[in-house]
Amino acid sequence: MAAKKQVPLRISEKLYADLAAWAEDDFRSINGQIEYLLTECVKQRKKDGKYVGEEIDVPPEFDIQ
């Protein structure tokens, strides 16, 4: 296995808390969760040839009656 690079990362306390909660839900460390998310984004970009989530901030529409 290739050696992993260490990258300092500064994020807000709120984002850290959100990532920590998400990581716990997925049974990962925070570092593992960040690596997983970045890996998935890179895979998607390679697949589509563009950045992920052109509509990422558009709220979903629900058909609830």
Side-chain angles (χ1 to χ4, degrees):
M1 179 183 215
K4 292 189 175 189
K5 294 285 188 179
Q6 293 184 7
V7 179
L9 177 65
R10 288 185 286 276
I11 57 176
S12 70
E13 289 182 36
K14 169 80 170 97
L15 180 56
Y16 184 89
D18 289 344
L19 285 169
W22 192 359
E24 187 174 325
D25 289 345
D26 289 352
F27 303 104
R28 291 189 182 97
S29 66
I30 293 172
N31 189 72
Q33 188 71 4
I34 292 169
E35 186 174 5
Y36 169 78
L37 293 170
L38 290 172
T39 299
E40 290 302 307
C41 286
V42 169
K43 283 181 190 176
Q44 186 67 39
R45 183 166 189 261
K46 285 181 180 179
K47 183 173 121 181
D48 295 345
K50 57 187 173 186
Y51 287 103
V52 175
E54 291 176 348
E55 298 180 13
I56 199 164
D57 292 325
V58 176
E61 293 183 29
F62 296 105
D63 186 20
I64 301 173
Q65 299 181 24

